[in-house]
């Protein structure tokens, strides 16, 4: 066909050249005669039909792609169409048909090769697995050039999405035996194309820097080295235009528009230059703000006065949206689920005023026709429905629908940001509430090893199912071991006992706690506390936000000291342990009944951003057992979403313990050491664990070469024992800072905070010992006081001395005789006249009682939560600004763990 066309071109050219200058004479009869019809193509019959050249494909399969059949008629056009059909199947590299003259048709094909391997070379920035899942060519598929071209274009597109516009792909084919080929894509990735410059043309009110700050795309610079927003993205270009429009519309420029946005790639394909041409227009203020409602339930004037858009303020499109949302929320409170609110604009171009009339169309009061729950495969319907605050047949109410949504989210069983959607029902006054949930794993089986600045190395195993049997029950078991504590706990919670709105929880526990301090770099255990017991809790809601709970607990505490360090002759030695610790050891049973009143309007129990929570509780110990006291506590928290991703929270808590038993001796507080409050890390950041509040510090005396005696007050050289307190308060102000989308995907949540509080109210303990003193004249002639060691005494409190000289027979031996010597403990047996010398016992030390003050302590800091790939991580950097003398501060705190 092509040769026919090409052959006809010279004839046409000649004909045009030889055309006469005047028209020839025309015979009217000949002109009227019809043109002769072309002769029909001869029709032939296929006598025989066979296929040659096929290797993998059966001949019958080859012929199935054509309309050729034995005994069928055919023409040259029929054979041409058969060739086209076979090539269109992409199974063959070449097709020819012979035998058209005789009718013995032979279809000769050359099959496309089979792909043996698809190889990628030169790809470093884009992993092979990300490319191979995007391309079509794969091993054991049939090779076609069309597919190669498509895959080349796809790979280039993948690199362009990464901002590498200089990337190129060269496909190569290596022929193998058995009609197989290897396909190799040689990739030249090229540099990442950055946005070198963003030009703004037409802006007069705001400078270029201010306008660029509104865009997601950033200019490449040293300050944006780590940002991914410096690469060019066509979708981001459109997004930036929308961001510019939103910015200007919130600043009063109602006529703003972007007339053009052009991205130019530099000749070296390394950078982009983006140019925006904008028209800012005039700045408008709000004129009259009115509401025109066809719904009689609304007072138009009161509703208009409650809107955020106010007359005289600069025009702000965001306030228009917020006003429409507020009207819809109000309409929903009155039962109008589908109220239509249309803002009508009246522009005064001369006065530069925009008056807004919010027209509310007539609507019918709606009722909940049906509540649909979809997507829950494990969780029972009733678990979700009992959190929904409206019932089928109730009047629609947006507040109750939002509250239902918050309660379902707080379960923690489903995807984040779940929404209860409103859909039209079977009639205009009916609405269907549809909840589409996507369940997430609620079972946890963890074996973790971690490191905490509080407890050093931690080994923990736990099994927890927060949605046991799909009924919202919680079943838990855990075991933990660290250098600070060992504990085993079992627990079960039922939030709706017998399908009634009554919660019940039971916990069994065994906890071994070591209270410790450091002398130098040596960690010393002060006292141990082993607690074994159980607690039963129940809760009943009073209203939507108020609930009351009661609990009963029975705990057996064993408080002891290390007998190898603090005991002498089987008894606690105050000179070794301190009188304040010896007074606390012993075993006791605590039987306590408690009650709490709770107010909770948080929008989420997992990560709240709005609402408040208040708890007031009291416990009475003394219903049997050995311990009697009344303990009261309160806790309040409030969260505000202050906009732009900032979350502000404020919290305050405190407590007091009043003993119901008399004093157990002079200088002994009636509240036992294990029942007191403690304060420090992690509740009070900036201070060490139990680093706040009353404490006793034991400092040793030391004498230098000149005979001058001083106290060794180096922080790591004295014992520091926290005693706890009867009363405490703790407050916190915290602001969670928003980050970009990339940081949010990594799970980073930074915050800045202020912590303040105090712990106080314990009775001042009696000093452990009173050391003798004497006056000493130093070498320079000055007279100073010196604290002397206590003399060594035997169990009967007799002073032990040693013999200086007794004729040489008993020199250096110890005795209780002031003069002479006796092998017994009877002074009557003393013989001899030697003057004996005192044997030093306990070295002198000073005990100072510090920290027992209600004055506020204050710390400021910054912290970050990170859901890291190897487990949750929290880092705090806090500086204590106000503290009492002797309290233990800490600058950096972190807690990290991992699972395996």
């Amino acid at each position: 066909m092509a040769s026919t066309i090409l052959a006809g071109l010279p004839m046409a050219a000649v004909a045009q050249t030889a055309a006469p200058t005047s028209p020839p004479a025309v015979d009217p009869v000949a002109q009227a005669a019809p043109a002769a019809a072309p002769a029909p193509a001869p029709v032939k019959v296929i006598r025989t039909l066979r296929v040659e050249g096929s290797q993998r494909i059966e001949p019958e399969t080859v012929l199935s792609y054509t309309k050729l059949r034995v005994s069928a008629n055919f023409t040259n056009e029929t054979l041409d169409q058969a060739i086209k059909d076979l090539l269109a199947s992409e199974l063959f590299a070449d097709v020819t048909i012979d035998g058209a003259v005789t009718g013995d048709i032979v279809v000769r094909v050359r099959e496309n090769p089979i792909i043996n391997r698809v190889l990628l070379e030169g790809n470093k920035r884009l992993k092979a697995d990300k490319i191979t899942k995007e391309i079509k060519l794969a091993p054991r598929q049939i090779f076609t050039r069309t597919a190669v071209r498509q895959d080349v274009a796809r790979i280039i597109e993948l690199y362009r999405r990464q901002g590498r516009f200089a990337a190129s792909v060269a496909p190569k084919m290596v022929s193998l035996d058995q009609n197989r080929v290897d396909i190799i894509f040689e990739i030249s990735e090229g540099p990442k194309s950055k946005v070198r410059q963003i030009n703004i043309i037409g802006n007069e009110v705001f400078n270029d820097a201010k306008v660029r700050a509104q865009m997601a795309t950033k200019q490449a610079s040293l300050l944006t080295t780590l940002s991914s927003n410096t690469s060019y993205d066509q979708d981001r270009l459109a997004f930036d235009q929308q961001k510019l429009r939103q910015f200007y519309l919130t600043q009063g420029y109602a006529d703003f528009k972007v007339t053009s946005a052009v991205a130019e790639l530099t000749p070296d394909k390394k950078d982009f230059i983006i140019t925006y041409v904008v028209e800012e227009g005039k700045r408008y203020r709000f004129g009259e703000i009115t509401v025109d409602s066809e719904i009689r339930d609304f007072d138009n004037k009161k509703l208009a006065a409650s809107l955020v858009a106010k007359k005289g303020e600069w025009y702000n499109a965001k306030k228009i949206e917020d006003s429409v949302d507020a009207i819809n929320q109000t309409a929903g409170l009155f039962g109008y689920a589908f109220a239509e609110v249309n803002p009508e604009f009246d522009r005064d171009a001369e006065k530069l005023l925009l008056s807004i009339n919010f027209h509310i169309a007539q609507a019918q009061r709606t009722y909940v026709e049906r509540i649909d729950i979809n997507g829950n495969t494990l969780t029972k319907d009733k678990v979700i429905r009992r959190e929904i605050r409206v019932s089928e047949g109730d009047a629609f109410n947006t507040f109750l629908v939002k509250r239902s949504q918050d309660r379902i989210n707080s379960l923690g069983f489903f995807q984040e940001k779940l929404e209860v959607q409103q859909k039209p029902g079977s009639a205009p006054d009916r609405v269907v509430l549809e909840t589409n949930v996507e369940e997430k794993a609620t079972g946890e089986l963890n074996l973790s090893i971690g490191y905490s600045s509080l407890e050093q190395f931690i080994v923990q195993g736990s099994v927890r199912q927060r949605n046991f049997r799909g009924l919202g029950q919680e079943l838990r078991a855990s075991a933990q071991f660290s250098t600070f504590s060992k504990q085993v706990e079992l627990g079960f919670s039922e939030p709706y006992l017998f399908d009634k709105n009554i919660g019940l929880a039971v916990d069994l526990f065994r906890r071994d706690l070591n209270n410790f301090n450091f002398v130098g770099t040596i960690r010393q255990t002060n006292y141990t506390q082993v607690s074994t017991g159980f607690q039963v809790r129940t809760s009943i809601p009073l209203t939507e936000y108020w609930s009351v709970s009661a609990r009963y607990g029975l705990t057996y505490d064993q408080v002891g000291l290390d007998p190898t360090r603090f005991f002498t002759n089987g008894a606690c030695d105050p000179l070794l342990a301190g009188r304040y610790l010896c007074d606390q050891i012993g075993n006791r049973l605590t039987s306590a009944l408690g009650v709490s009143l709770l107010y909770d309007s948080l929008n989420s129990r997992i990560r709240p951003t709005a609402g408040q929570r208040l708890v007031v509780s009291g416990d009475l110990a003394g219903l049997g057992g050995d311990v009697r006291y009344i303990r009261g506590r309160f806790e309040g928290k409030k969260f505000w979403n202050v906009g732009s991703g900032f979350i502000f929270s404020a919290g305050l808590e405190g407590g007091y313990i009043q003993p119901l038993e008399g004093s157990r001796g002079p200088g002994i507080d009636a509240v036992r050491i294990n029942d007191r409050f403690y304060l420090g890390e992690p509740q009070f950041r900036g201070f060490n664990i139990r680093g706040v509040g009353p404490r006793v510090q034991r400092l040793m005396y030391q004498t230098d070469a000149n005979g001058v005696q001083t106290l060794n007050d180096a922080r790591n050289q004295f014992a520091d024992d926290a005693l706890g307190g009867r009363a405490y308060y703790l407050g916190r102000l915290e602001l969670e800072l928003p980050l970009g989308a990339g940081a949010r995907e990594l799970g980073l949540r930074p915050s800045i905070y202020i912590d303040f509080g105090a712990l106080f109210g314990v009775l001042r303990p009696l000093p452990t010992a009173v050391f003798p003193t004497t006056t000493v004249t130093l070498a320079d002639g000055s007279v100073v006081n010196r604290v002397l060691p206590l003399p060594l005494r035997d169990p009967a409190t007799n002073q032990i001395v040693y013999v200086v000289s007794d004729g040489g027979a008993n020199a250096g031996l110890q005795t209780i005789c002031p003069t002479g010597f006796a092998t017994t403990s009877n002074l009557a047996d003393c013989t001899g006249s030697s003057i004996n010398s005192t044997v030093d016992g306990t070295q002198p030390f000073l005990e100072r009682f510090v920290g027992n003050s209600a004055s506020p302590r204050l710390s400021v800091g910054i912290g970050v939560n990170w859901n890291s790939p190897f487990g949750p991580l929290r880092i705090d950097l806090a500086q204590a600004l106000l503290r009492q003398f002797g309290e233990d501060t800490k600058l950096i705190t972190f807690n990290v763990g991992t699972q395996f």
Side-chain angles (χ1 to χ4, degrees):
M1 184 181 298
S3 61
T4 303
I5 295 174
L6 292 174
L9 288 177
M11 295 294 295
V14 171
Q16 291 178 6
T17 304
T21 56
S22 61
V26 179
D27 186 350
V29 177
Q31 186 178 19
V43 177
K44 302 178 183 179
V45 177
I46 300 176
R47 296 173 52 197
T48 62
L49 181 62
R50 72 177 190 273
V51 176
E52 293 182 358
S54 61
Q55 299 177 1
R56 300 182 310 275
I57 306 173
E58 296 295 330
E60 293 79 5
T61 304
V62 176
L63 295 176
S64 68
Y65 286 95
T66 71
K67 297 180 180 180
L68 303 179
R69 301 292 183 269
V70 176
S71 301
N73 296 334
F74 74 94
T75 64
N76 291 339
E77 288 75 9
T78 304
L79 299 181
D80 288 342
Q81 186 60 45
I83 293 174
K84 293 178 181 179
D85 292 340
L86 289 172
L87 292 174
S89 70
E90 295 190 344
L91 297 175
F92 310 102
D94 188 32
V95 179
T96 59
I97 298 179
D98 294 334
V101 176
T102 62
D104 297 318
I105 303 301
V106 179
V107 180
R108 293 187 175 89
V109 298
R110 180 164 59 86
E111 296 177 348
N112 273 326
I114 292 293
I115 297 174
N116 178 54
R117 292 183 301 171
V118 177
L119 304 176
L120 303 173
E121 294 182 355
N123 59 307
K124 296 179 181 179
R125 302 295 182 179
L126 207 57
K127 299 298 182 182
D129 57 342
K130 291 187 177 180
I131 298 177
T132 53
K133 69 181 181 182
E134 295 288 342
I135 61 179
K136 294 182 178 180
L137 293 180
R140 295 183 298 279
Q141 288 187 354
I142 295 175
F143 166 82
T144 65
R145 298 185 182 276
T146 301
V148 171
R149 286 192 294 269
Q150 291 174 347
D151 284 349
V152 168
R154 182 60 179 158
I155 294 172
I156 291 176
E157 178 62 24
L158 290 176
Y159 275 98
R160 285 187 173 182
R161 288 185 181 181
Q162 283 200 338
R164 299 183 182 277
F165 285 80
S168 61
V169 180
K172 291 187 177 181
M173 182 178 70
V174 179
S175 299
L176 305 173
D177 56 354
Q178 300 178 355
N179 198 22
R180 297 176 303 138
V181 293
D182 283 345
I183 305 299
I184 303 173
F185 291 105
E186 292 185 349
I187 301 172
S188 174
E189 295 180 319
K192 197 167 187 177
S193 302
K194 300 286 186 179
V195 176
R196 179 192 299 175
Q197 188 174 348
I198 300 177
N199 298 320
I200 313 295
I201 299 175
N203 58 310
E204 297 178 359
V205 178
F206 300 104
N207 58 34
D208 289 359
K210 182 69 173 179
V211 176
R212 292 192 195 103
Q214 312 308 316
M215 303 178 185
T217 304
K218 304 299 179 185
Q219 291 185 154
S221 66
L222 291 177
L223 298 178
T224 58
T225 303
L226 300 178
S227 174
S228 61
N229 291 343
T230 57
S231 59
Y232 173 75
D233 188 323
Q234 178 67 32
D235 295 334
R236 197 185 296 135
L237 186 68
F239 177 71
D240 285 339
Q241 295 179 59
Q242 184 63 25
K243 291 275 288 182
L244 287 179
R245 178 167 174 77
Q246 290 176 355
F247 169 69
Y248 271 92
L249 289 180
T250 59
Q251 301 299 317
Y253 296 90
D255 298 328
F256 174 83
K257 61 181 177 180
V258 179
T259 58
S260 69
V262 179
E264 298 176 291
L265 185 63
T266 56
D268 58 6
K269 295 185 178 182
K270 290 184 179 181
D271 298 303
F272 274 90
I273 298 176
I274 301 176
T275 303
Y276 292 94
V277 179
V278 302
E279 291 182 10
E280 293 177 324
K282 300 294 183 179
R283 194 179 191 188
Y284 285 78
R285 292 184 182 270
F286 281 121
E288 296 291 336
I289 305 296
T290 58
V291 173
D292 175 20
S293 174
E294 297 181 16
I295 300 176
R296 295 182 178 180
D297 293 326
F298 296 155
D299 185 322
N300 292 341
K301 291 184 178 179
K302 289 184 178 180
L303 187 56
S306 67
L307 300 179
V308 294
K310 303 294 183 183
K311 180 181 178 180
E313 294 181 346
W314 291 114
Y315 171 78
N316 189 327
K318 181 65 168 56
K319 290 187 176 182
I320 302 297
E321 296 176 4
D322 293 343
S323 297
V324 171
D325 291 341
I327 294 174
N328 279 321
Q329 290 288 334
T330 304
L333 293 176
F334 284 87
Y336 299 96
F338 304 110
E340 183 180 349
V341 182
N342 295 312
E344 299 170 345
F345 298 86
D346 183 12
R347 185 191 303 263
D348 188 334
E350 293 182 1
K351 297 182 180 179
L352 297 178
L353 294 177
L354 267 175
S355 297
I356 315 294
N357 177 57
F358 294 93
H359 178 73
I360 308 174
Q362 180 64 48
Q364 290 182 311
R365 192 184 300 273
T366 50
Y367 297 86
V368 179
E369 176 181 358
R370 193 172 68 253
I371 299 174
D372 293 338
I373 298 174
N374 307 316
N376 53 313
T377 57
L378 171 66
T379 307
K380 306 298 184 185
D381 268 17
K382 67 178 183 180
V383 174
I384 304 174
R385 289 184 182 276
R386 66 197 183 194
E387 304 298 331
I388 298 177
R389 314 325 283 171
V390 292
S391 301
E392 294 172 347
D394 288 352
F396 176 81
N397 187 300
T398 52
F399 173 77
L400 295 179
V401 171
K402 179 64 168 62
R403 178 63 179 166
S404 303
Q405 179 178 301
D406 291 342
R407 290 180 65 94
I408 296 173
N409 276 319
S410 293
L411 292 174
F413 303 160
F414 311 110
Q415 79 276 16
E416 295 182 3
K417 299 182 180 178
L418 175 146
E419 292 185 2
V420 178
Q421 299 177 348
Q422 304 157 211
K423 295 192 173 181
S426 59
D429 62 344
R430 294 290 184 266
V431 62
V432 175
L433 299 181
E434 185 174 272
T435 305
N436 296 309
V437 302
E438 180 182 338
E439 291 182 317
K440 62 183 181 182
T442 56
E444 301 173 6
L445 174 61
N446 294 330
L447 178 62
S448 60
I449 297 177
Y451 182 84
S452 166
S453 59
L454 295 179
E455 304 185 64
Q456 310 301 313
F457 284 99
I458 304 171
V459 179
Q460 180 179 14
S462 66
V463 178
R464 184 186 181 200
Q465 175 52 261
R466 294 183 291 109
N467 191 13
F468 183 56
R469 301 187 301 159
L471 296 173
Q473 301 167 337
E474 182 173 315
L475 185 66
R476 53 194 176 273
S478 65
Q480 177 177 311
F481 174 83
S482 72
T483 54
F484 179 63
S485 64
K486 296 179 283 292
Q487 61 185 28
V488 177
E489 295 189 13
L490 301 174
F492 175 77
S493 300
E494 168 57 79
Y496 282 78
L497 186 64
F498 305 124
D499 289 331
K500 304 295 184 182
N501 204 354
I502 301 174
L504 179 69
V506 180
D507 289 291
L508 305 174
F509 57 85
R510 164 76 179 229
R511 305 186 185 107
D512 293 6
L513 173 69
N514 295 328
N515 185 283
F516 62 90
N517 61 27
F518 286 88
V519 177
T521 58
I522 301 175
R523 180 180 181 274
Q524 296 187 138
T525 299
N526 292 349
Y527 70 89
T528 62
Q529 176 185 340
V530 179
S531 300
T532 307
F534 71 89
Q535 188 180 76
V536 180
R537 305 185 303 277
T538 184
S539 61
I540 302 174
L542 301 177
T543 66
E544 176 62 27
Y545 297 112
W546 288 96
S547 63
V548 63
S549 63
R551 58 193 169 274
Y552 174 76
L554 188 65
T555 306
Y556 183 64
D557 291 308
Q558 298 168 277
V559 178
L561 296 170
D562 185 354
T564 63
R565 294 182 56 234
F566 302 116
F567 279 56
T568 300
N569 298 321
C572 181
D573 189 343
L575 292 175
L576 298 177
R579 188 182 303 278
Y580 47 89
L581 292 183
C582 287
D583 290 339
Q584 302 299 326
I585 62 175
N587 302 336
R588 56 193 67 100
L589 183 67
T590 303
S591 174
L593 180 66
V595 63
S596 296
L597 185 63
L598 168 67
Y599 175 83
D600 188 347
S601 64
L602 298 178
N603 63 347
S604 172
R605 298 189 190 103
I606 300 172
R607 188 186 170 195
T609 59
Q612 54 193 349
R613 175 184 172 89
L614 175 66
V615 184
V616 179
S617 62
D619 293 275
L620 172 63
L623 306 176
D626 309 312
V627 180
R628 291 172 177 81
Y629 62 77
I630 294 178
R631 177 173 58 202
R633 291 191 65 215
F634 73 90
E635 179 183 356
K637 293 181 180 178
K638 186 172 179 61
F639 294 83
W640 294 269
N641 189 337
V642 294
S644 302
F646 291 91
I647 307 298
F648 179 73
S649 62
L652 182 65
E653 62 177 280
Y656 181 76
I657 303 176
Q658 176 61 45
L660 299 179
E661 52 187 305
S663 174
R664 292 178 288 115
I668 303 176
D669 198 285
V671 178
R672 291 172 173 83
I673 195 168
N674 58 299
D675 294 325
R676 300 170 190 165
F677 296 115
Y678 290 89
L679 202 57
E681 184 188 355
Q683 312 103 306
F684 203 154
R685 294 162 292 191
F687 290 87
N688 210 339
I689 181 171
R690 300 191 173 188
V692 178
R695 57 213 319 104
V696 172
Q697 297 175 337
R698 180 181 290 194
L699 293 79
M700 304 302 295
Y701 285 98
Q702 60 185 10
T703 305
D704 61 17
N706 297 321
V708 178
Q709 189 179 55
T710 58
L711 281 172
N712 185 0
D713 59 355
R715 185 67 191 177
N716 61 350
Q717 294 296 317
F718 60 81
D720 186 353
D721 295 325
L723 302 184
R726 288 192 187 184
Y728 86 100
Y729 64 88
L730 177 64
R732 174 177 298 160
L733 303 175
E734 188 159 3
L735 181 65
E736 186 174 315
L737 308 175
L739 293 177
R744 287 198 303 269
E745 291 176 1
L746 291 175
L748 291 173
R749 291 190 291 116
S751 62
I752 56 176
Y753 52 82
I754 298 174
D755 290 352
F756 61 92
L759 177 70
F760 54 95
V762 73
L763 184 65
R764 183 186 186 99
L766 294 178
T768 298
V770 178
F771 291 89
T773 61
T774 186
T775 58
V776 177
T777 302
L778 301 180
D780 59 2
S782 60
V783 178
V784 297
N785 291 325
R786 178 173 294 173
V787 182
L788 303 177
L790 291 177
L792 184 64
R793 296 183 182 273
D794 64 7
T797 71
N798 294 313
Q799 184 172 340
I800 299 175
V801 295
Y802 71 93
V803 179
V804 177
S805 174
D806 188 21
N810 300 310
L813 298 181
Q814 291 185 349
T815 181
I816 64 169
C817 300
T819 59
F821 179 78
T823 59
T824 68
S825 58
N826 190 346
L827 293 175
D829 296 336
C830 296
T831 60
S833 58
S834 63
I835 304 300
N836 298 328
S837 180
T838 302
V839 178
D840 289 345
T842 303
Q843 294 299 309
F845 59 81
L846 172 68
E847 285 181 340
R848 61 188 184 195
F849 178 64
V850 296
N852 191 28
S853 171
S855 298
R857 287 74 153 170
L858 177 69
S859 67
V860 298
I862 183 169
V864 62
N865 282 306
W866 180 30
N867 294 327
S868 68
F870 45 85
L873 171 66
R874 170 76 188 188
I875 300 177
D876 283 291
L877 179 65
Q879 177 66 49
L881 301 181
L882 296 177
R883 66 184 182 98
Q884 291 294 304
F885 176 78
E887 290 181 331
D888 194 5
T889 62
K890 193 170 190 179
L891 181 63
I892 300 176
T893 303
F894 70 93
N895 197 318
V896 64
T898 188
Q899 296 180 355
F900 62 91

